[in-house]
Amino acid sequence: MILFRTVLLTSGLVLALSSGTAHTQLSAQDTPASGAAGKPMVTLQMPALPAPVPVTLNPKTTALLVFDYVQAICNSQPKCKGGMLPALTPFMARARKAGMVVAYGTREENVGKWLPEVAPQPGDIAIVNTAQDRFYDTDLDKALKAKGITTIVMVGWKVSGSVAYSSVGATLRGYTTVIPVDTTAATTDYEQVIGFYNILNQLGGNMTNQPLKPHAPTLSRTDMIAFQ
């Protein structure tokens, strides 16, 4: 289970999230005139995320999709270089050795600015996107299906943005998707947990995180992914 804690202050409402439990309390300026001050806080239960699960993939029908491991983003996001990159680098080496298709997607201004440790190589698929869903208005789906790809391992910045949106795009197009939780992140822990929750809860859903549920996303981790 992923645990998180953050405090949001907005319009006098205090929201504290800790280990899957949310508490709300009105500030003094929002206290009703009827004298509700001092009443106990309201407790809301937020669904807990299931733990990552091991999966075994066929490298001949699996592609590694890499989003936005680029200098402009990773140089300003400590979680990218501090956590995501060290996880992806050895995993990508294993994926390439196994013969997996590797595909990249980023905006036009970031083309050519990939971090050297995980930069594209000759023969890789590369698309330029304008939307967070990397399938939208690009040739990514066509290029993957031309190579017989049915399963996708999706990594990149950020889980609550491009990874979440593209996972929906992948599901709509019939792919089974694996998200290694150590290869994506977001600026805040709150945003990160919401991103993973939305990924599992999309469309048909996989809230129990069933390994490799067909045409749905699975949360795994790079050290839990094997090739056969």
Side-chain angles (χ1 to χ4, degrees), residues 99-182:
M100 275 177 55
V101 169
V102 183
Y104 290 79
T106 193
R107 293 183 181 273
E108 186 172 4
E109 60 267 26
N110 291 323
V111 174
K113 298 179 181 178
W114 295 93
L115 297 179
E117 297 92 331
V118 292
Q121 295 184 7
D124 291 342
I125 296 170
I127 58 102
V128 177
N129 59 274
T130 56
Q132 294 205 68
D133 177 3
R134 304 304 164 91
F135 289 93
Y136 176 77
D137 201 25
T138 72
D139 290 330
L140 181 57
D141 181 45
K142 181 180 178 181
L144 293 175
K145 286 180 174 165
K147 293 182 177 292
I149 300 302
T150 58
T151 302
I152 291 170
V153 179
M154 195 175 294
V155 305
W157 189 266
K158 62 183 176 175
V159 65
S160 54
S162 297
V163 174
Y165 283 92
S166 298
S167 73
V168 175
T171 300
L172 287 170
R173 291 164 177 82
Y175 295 99
T176 299
T177 306
V178 176
I179 313 289
V181 298
D182 51 346

Side-chain angles (χ1 to χ4, degrees), residues 48-91:
L49 285 174
V53 293
V55 296
T56 299
L57 305 175
N58 179 355
K60 294 181 180 179
T61 57
T62 303
L64 174 62
L65 269 59
V66 185
F67 303 148
D68 292 336
Y69 273 78
V70 294
Q71 296 168 13
I73 292 173
C74 289
N75 287 344
S76 62
Q77 297 292 345
K79 289 183 180 181
C80 183
K81 281 192 170 180
M84 291 166 51
L85 183 63
L88 178 59
T89 303
F91 177 75

